[in-house]
């Protein structure tokens, strides 16, 4: 089953649940702040994702969690790598923009010591022959122009990357 995302991309139903989990994660971390530090929350989500992945839950297998601050956590899915890379290689510019932003975000997390992000960055498959900085700039313009909705994972990742 797929649903149409706000940016007109087909999104598997399991990823919609993933997006809801992301929103809940941010809300929980922001609400509980002092009583549940982000690191503890990240560790808990990573453990649960690993358990669910070993049980065959593919959405959990594609989940990467990153602590961004004492009370801020981000959750990203690597599932688009497998679907958007062929679209980008076929010349679909919005897919290339989304992939560049995802790669940039995961590369940043990798530099922060996130081994799951490093594994995704190093194994891909990522698009061939792309100009990542130019595509990230184009994605920023797409977010500003409304081509990607402000609450899309691409626009949200761009906000966090700044």
């Amino acid at each position: 089953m797929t649903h149409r995302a706000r940016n007109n991309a087909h999104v598997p139903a399991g990823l919609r649940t993933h997006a809801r989990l992301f929103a809940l994660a941010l809300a929980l971390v922001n609400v509980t702040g002092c009583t549940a530090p982000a690191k503890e929350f990240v560790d808990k989500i990573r453990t649960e994702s690993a358990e669910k992945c070993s049980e065959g839950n593919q959405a959990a297998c594609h989940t990467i969690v990153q602590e961004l601050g004492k009370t801020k956590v981000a959750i990203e899915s690597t599932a688009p790598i497998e679907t958007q890379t062929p679209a980008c290689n076929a010349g679909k510019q919005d897919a290339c923009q989304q992939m560049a932003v995802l790669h940039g975000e995961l590369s940043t997390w990798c530099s922060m010591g996130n081994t799951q992000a490093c594994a995704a960055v190093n194994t891909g498959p990522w698009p061939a022959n792309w100009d990542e900085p130019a595509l990230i700039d184009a994605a920023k313009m797409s977010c500003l122009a409304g081509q990607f909705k402000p609450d899309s994972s691409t626009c949200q990742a761009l906000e966090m990357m700044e």
Side-chain angles (χ1 to χ4, degrees):
M1 172 183 227
T2 62
H3 296 279
R4 190 158 290 281
R6 291 188 183 154
N7 64 0
N8 294 328
H10 286 286
V11 177
L15 293 180
R16 283 187 64 155
T17 302
H18 177 72
R20 289 184 187 126
L21 176 63
F22 174 71
L24 177 62
L26 287 177
L28 286 174
V29 171
N30 285 329
V31 168
T32 58
C34 295
T35 58
K39 178 155 180 31
E40 290 177 22
F41 185 75
V42 167
D43 292 343
K44 179 181 176 186
I45 296 297
R46 284 180 180 164
T47 300
E48 288 178 6
S49 291
E51 289 171 2
K52 292 185 184 308
C53 179
S54 68
E55 295 170 359
N57 182 321
Q58 287 303 303
C61 296
H62 292 288
T63 300
I64 297 180
V65 185
Q66 177 63 40
E67 178 182 357
L68 298 176
K70 289 182 181 178
T71 61
K72 195 170 185 181
V73 172
I75 300 174
E76 187 61 79
S77 173
T78 60
I81 296 171
E82 297 167 9
T83 57
Q84 295 287 59
T85 294
C88 178
N89 287 336
K92 190 172 179 188
Q93 285 302 303
D94 62 333
C96 293
Q97 292 172 16
Q98 291 171 16
M99 294 307 297
V101 171
L102 179 60
H103 188 267
E105 180 182 39
L106 294 176
S107 294
T108 300
W109 293 0
C110 178
S111 71
M112 298 167 76
N114 187 321
T115 57
Q116 286 180 298
C118 291
V121 167
N122 293 328
T123 60
W126 296 100
N129 304 320
W130 62 341
D131 182 353
E132 187 173 330
L135 288 167
I136 289 174
D137 288 342
K140 289 177 185 175
M141 296 304 293
S142 293
C143 287
L144 291 173
Q147 180 182 353
F148 297 133
K149 300 296 181 190
D151 62 349
S152 71
S153 62
T154 299
C155 296
Q156 288 178 355
L158 285 168
E159 285 181 26
M160 288 185 207
M161 290 168 62
E162 292 180 353

